[in-house]
Amino acid sequence: MQTRPGFLYSLLASFVAVLLAILLPVPAPAQVYAGRPKLIVIVVIDQFRGDYLNRDESKFTGRGFKLFMDQGAWFTNCYYDYANTKTAPGHATIGTGAYTDGHGIETNEWWDASRSFDFKVSSVEDERYQLVDLPAASIPANQPGAPDNAPRFVVGASPLNLRATTLGDELRLATQGRARVYGVSLKDRAAILPAGQAANGAFWIDTSSGQFITSTYYMEHLPEWAHAFNASGRIAQAEREANAEGTTQFFNLVGRTPAANRYELDFARALIDGEKLGQNGVTDLLVISLSANDIQGHQFGPDSDSEERMILSLDRDLGSFFDWLDQSIGLKNVWLALTADHGIAPVPGEASKLGVNGVAVDMEKVYDKLNEELNKRYSHGSHQDYLLPGPDLPYIVLDKRAFKKAGVDEKAAEDEVAELLPGAVASQNPNPPPFLTLMPPTVNHPSQHRLPPAPRVQYVYTRLQLANGQLPPTDWGRLLAHSYTEHGNWFVMAVLDAYQMEGSGQFAGTTHFSPWSYDRHVPLAFYGAPFRAGVYQNRVAPVDLAATLASLAGVNQPSACIGHVLTVALQPTQPSNR
Ligand SMILES: [Zn+2]
């Protein structure tokens, strides 16, 4: 039973507690991370579908993928929210936190009406600059020191087409240039675009020799440490590991093997050491894009034995790279992020064996068919090419010069191509239903008891529709709007049925380009002090990577960033100790 003095004591205690609460600051939760990291490393795996980590989870060892999956924040449902899932736009998205309508990169190479109608330009080629320190045998005809049999016309590279800043750019701006920012890949576009405009450097390889090079956009000569790496015998080692000794096709023959990932990660170590990343008193950034999985994946597909070997080998190589980072800079001082630039479709033949409507469509034949029909309508006898050559879905680019000559304006031209396209694609049917032909099917399909694959256009949109926002007010419409930019051309954007893609002749590979889930699904994972370890199944997007890291680093989000900060995976912070 409570006594009266006890009650008074209790009242007094409550009064003191209230008084203290008013006068003293609220006790904060324990500090979970102190300040900003010395280094952020973003690992991008070129062509790596989100489900790969689930599929091989039980086979991972050490601190490779498991560092993210067991000790980091692993988002299992990360999907690009646009329809043009290619390498250049994907890497631009990872850096900028924006899609094509924000960063301006719609595919790997395109017809740029302001530059030339004779050839496509790549997303990063820039004739104002030159490639730096090319090996003698690779110096092209347009550069000093070219050999007599100079291989080809090659220009320098820069982020000239990137219309938005990146996380790296914002780190550079916020520190008045003290933060050091680099990109590394086998591919120029994958080194340049995620690093950004203000990057200190981007390094990729000379495709024949495998030597790392750069562009005069960044520097006049390679740094000493990069020269030393190129001269170290590391190239020969990679060639031996890939059974391609002495090759002059390093990119193709070594690039498609696990040896290429080790080669790139060793270059990244040399860069971190050589440029003293993590020792500048501010947060530095390195983006490493690992190209091997893409080079191999196009040939053998996501369900091959070689794909699994690549993944398990990369797991070990990432593990040893992270162990090295721990010894050199300390993982407590580093934030890591993991993602990919796009996923991939199964090989059409593999999908169709299960009854899924997988098929490769010969787009050259589709172009022939379209040109035939357009000539009938507009040419009056003389033959014209109404499409710019080199089909590259999802875009079909019109030759506006030919239409203008025929007195046809953009709207009429694009509407016409959009109307003709479904018929031109359907006419490529390798296995037409019996009622459409008197001939027997020309292709023996392995799942004849199920529906045979039939090439089909699901949707087609004209440039004018995309530019004017004449899109459904739905998630689908937003996805298309995110895919739009312009380079002075008339075009239509084609969406084939799911699991259908461009391919001809003996095509036995696969590709990525579409708005379908398998092309958009990528991993997203973080490791580092600010992150709450766990598996997160909420729907997120690659644009959230830059938004989250910018927020944690205390800098502005990149200029066109539309990502969300992934607060669900963040540790609570202690304001008073920031
Ligand atoms: Zn790619």
Side-chain angles (χ1 to χ4, degrees), residues 237-523:
Q237 182 194 329
E239 290 174 357
R240 276 196 305 277
E241 290 172 11
N243 290 321
E245 284 175 271
T247 182
T248 55
Q249 295 184 66
F250 187 97
F251 183 89
N252 289 329
L253 298 186
V254 181
R256 68 181 181 188
T257 71
N261 288 329
R262 286 191 285 281
Y263 180 66
E264 273 194 57
L265 289 167
D266 279 358
F267 185 80
R269 294 187 202 200
L271 192 162
I272 291 168
D273 272 348
E275 298 297 340
K276 299 186 167 34
L277 296 192
Q279 302 177 37
N280 292 306
V282 293
T283 300
D284 296 328
L285 172 69
L286 174 62
V287 185
I288 308 169
S289 170
L290 298 163
S291 311
N293 204 54
D294 184 70
I295 303 167
Q296 171 199 256
H298 278 290
Q299 289 180 28
F300 304 116
D303 306 306
S304 63
D305 291 344
S306 55
E307 177 63 60
E308 184 166 71
R309 278 196 297 275
M310 179 73 83
I311 292 169
L312 297 182
S313 180
L314 178 55
D315 179 48
R316 292 189 292 275
D317 296 333
L318 284 175
S320 75
F321 177 69
F322 296 148
D323 285 346
W324 175 85
L325 264 183
D326 200 10
Q327 287 153 19
S328 56
I329 301 179
L331 280 183
K332 66 179 188 299
N333 302 312
V334 177
W335 298 348
L336 302 172
L338 174 75
T339 191
D341 58 341
H342 49 75
I344 189 74
V347 172
E350 299 291 320
S352 60
K353 274 183 198 164
L354 299 174
V356 171
N357 192 15
V359 62
V361 182
D362 187 336
M363 286 304 294
E364 292 286 357
K365 287 187 178 160
V366 171
Y367 269 38
D368 289 347
K369 186 83 180 165
L370 287 171
N371 264 319
E372 185 187 315
E373 295 295 325
L374 291 164
N375 270 287
K376 275 187 213 161
R377 285 171 205 221
Y378 300 129
S379 293
H380 314 296
S382 70
H383 182 86
Q384 281 283 337
D385 282 333
Y386 285 94
L387 305 174
L388 289 170
D392 188 16
L393 288 175
Y395 302 105
I396 292 171
V397 185
L398 282 55
D399 190 335
K400 63 183 180 185
R401 297 168 304 176
F403 283 101
K404 281 180 178 170
K405 200 169 144 193
V408 183
D409 68 13
E410 180 178 4
K411 180 164 190 324
E414 290 175 355
D415 286 350
E416 189 69 33
V417 173
E419 192 184 318
L420 290 170
L421 185 67
V425 168
S427 73
Q428 307 305 310
N429 193 342
N431 203 357
F435 57 84
L436 289 184
T437 175
L438 296 175
M439 299 292 289
T442 53
V443 173
N444 266 331
H445 194 263
S447 50
Q448 285 166 348
H449 61 292
R450 294 193 171 169
L451 295 174
R456 182 175 166 275
V457 173
Q458 174 108 257
Y459 302 102
V460 55
Y461 302 91
T462 68
R463 188 198 77 80
L464 284 173
Q465 283 175 318
L466 293 163
N468 297 328
Q470 293 169 334
L471 300 165
T474 60
D475 285 350
W476 179 257
R478 194 188 61 215
L479 181 143
L480 292 163
H482 284 164
S483 311
Y484 178 71
T485 190
E486 58 87 25
H487 289 100
N489 282 308
W490 302 356
F491 65 85
V492 302
M493 186 170 188
V495 179
L496 301 179
D497 273 11
Y499 299 94
Q500 303 194 352
M501 65 190 68
E502 189 175 342
S504 61
Q506 298 301 307
F507 180 78
T510 183
T511 194
H512 51 85
F513 70 99
S514 81
W516 305 122
S517 64
Y518 47 81
D519 279 345
R520 293 164 51 211
H521 188 194
V522 292

Side-chain angles (χ1 to χ4, degrees), residues 46-47 86-87 91 187 294 341-342 512:
D46 201 313
Q47 189 194 117
K86 308 278 266 196
T87 295
H91 280 85
K187 302 178 180 179
D294 184 70
D341 58 341
H342 49 75
H512 51 85

Side-chain angles (χ1 to χ4, degrees), residues 90-121:
H91 280 85
T93 291
I94 291 163
T96 62
Y99 291 113
T100 295
D101 59 334
H103 59 54
I105 309 289
E106 80 265 37
T107 185
N108 295 336
E109 50 181 25
W110 56 76
W111 293 98
D112 185 335
S114 69
R115 291 169 75 181
S116 176
F117 278 106
D118 297 327
F119 50 84
K120 289 183 182 180
V121 294

Side-chain angles (χ1 to χ4, degrees), residues 31-341:
Q31 167 77 344
V32 292
Y33 66 98
R36 315 254 149 78
K38 294 179 177 176
L39 176 64
I40 298 174
V41 179
I42 299 174
V43 177
V44 183
I45 310 174
D46 201 313
Q47 189 194 117
F48 198 86
R49 224 170 47 197
D51 61 326
Y52 291 177
L53 293 181
N54 303 85
R55 199 162 69 177
D56 286 324
E57 184 175 4
S58 66
K59 296 175 184 167
F60 295 145
T61 57
R63 287 203 294 183
F65 290 122
K66 284 167 79 76
L67 186 66
F68 296 101
M69 297 163 78
D70 294 348
Q71 299 176 52
W74 174 27
F75 289 87
T76 56
N77 287 294
C78 179
Y79 288 82
Y80 278 87
D81 194 19
Y82 69 167
N84 44 314
T85 43
K86 308 278 266 196
T87 295
H91 280 85
T93 291
I94 291 163
T96 62
Y99 291 113
T100 295
D101 59 334
H103 59 54
I105 309 289
E106 80 265 37
T107 185
N108 295 336
E109 50 181 25
W110 56 76
W111 293 98
D112 185 335
S114 69
R115 291 169 75 181
S116 176
F117 278 106
D118 297 327
F119 50 84
K120 289 183 182 180
V121 294
S122 94
S123 58
V124 293
E125 75 177 64
D126 187 342
E127 49 271 25
R128 293 167 299 184
Y129 297 97
Q130 294 189 342
L131 298 181
V132 166
D133 290 340
L134 276 175
S138 295
I139 295 176
N142 66 325
Q143 286 190 22
D148 290 342
N149 59 343
R152 61 200 184 281
F153 186 88
V154 173
V155 295
S158 81
L160 80 164
N161 293 303
L162 198 60
R163 297 177 188 156
T165 59
T166 60
L167 173 67
D169 291 334
E170 295 301 332
L171 288 169
R172 297 268 295 150
L173 287 166
T175 58
Q176 295 81 50
R178 281 188 299 143
R180 301 185 68 77
V181 173
Y182 290 91
V184 170
S185 176
L186 298 190
K187 302 178 180 179
D188 53 6
R189 56 185 177 272
I192 291 169
L193 297 172
Q197 301 164 351
N200 298 78
F203 302 98
W204 58 95
I205 63 162
D206 166 52
T207 55
S208 56
S209 69
Q211 288 195 27
F212 275 93
I213 57 172
T214 185
S215 165
T216 50
Y217 178 79
Y218 302 102
M219 58 195 82
E220 291 299 317
H221 289 288
L222 284 174
E224 274 311 311
W225 61 262
H227 273 302
F229 182 89
N230 282 337
S232 68
R234 191 61 186 81
I235 292 172
Q237 182 194 329
E239 290 174 357
R240 276 196 305 277
E241 290 172 11
N243 290 321
E245 284 175 271
T247 182
T248 55
Q249 295 184 66
F250 187 97
F251 183 89
N252 289 329
L253 298 186
V254 181
R256 68 181 181 188
T257 71
N261 288 329
R262 286 191 285 281
Y263 180 66
E264 273 194 57
L265 289 167
D266 279 358
F267 185 80
R269 294 187 202 200
L271 192 162
I272 291 168
D273 272 348
E275 298 297 340
K276 299 186 167 34
L277 296 192
Q279 302 177 37
N280 292 306
V282 293
T283 300
D284 296 328
L285 172 69
L286 174 62
V287 185
I288 308 169
S289 170
L290 298 163
S291 311
N293 204 54
D294 184 70
I295 303 167
Q296 171 199 256
H298 278 290
Q299 289 180 28
F300 304 116
D303 306 306
S304 63
D305 291 344
S306 55
E307 177 63 60
E308 184 166 71
R309 278 196 297 275
M310 179 73 83
I311 292 169
L312 297 182
S313 180
L314 178 55
D315 179 48
R316 292 189 292 275
D317 296 333
L318 284 175
S320 75
F321 177 69
F322 296 148
D323 285 346
W324 175 85
L325 264 183
D326 200 10
Q327 287 153 19
S328 56
I329 301 179
L331 280 183
K332 66 179 188 299
N333 302 312
V334 177
W335 298 348
L336 302 172
L338 174 75
T339 191
D341 58 341

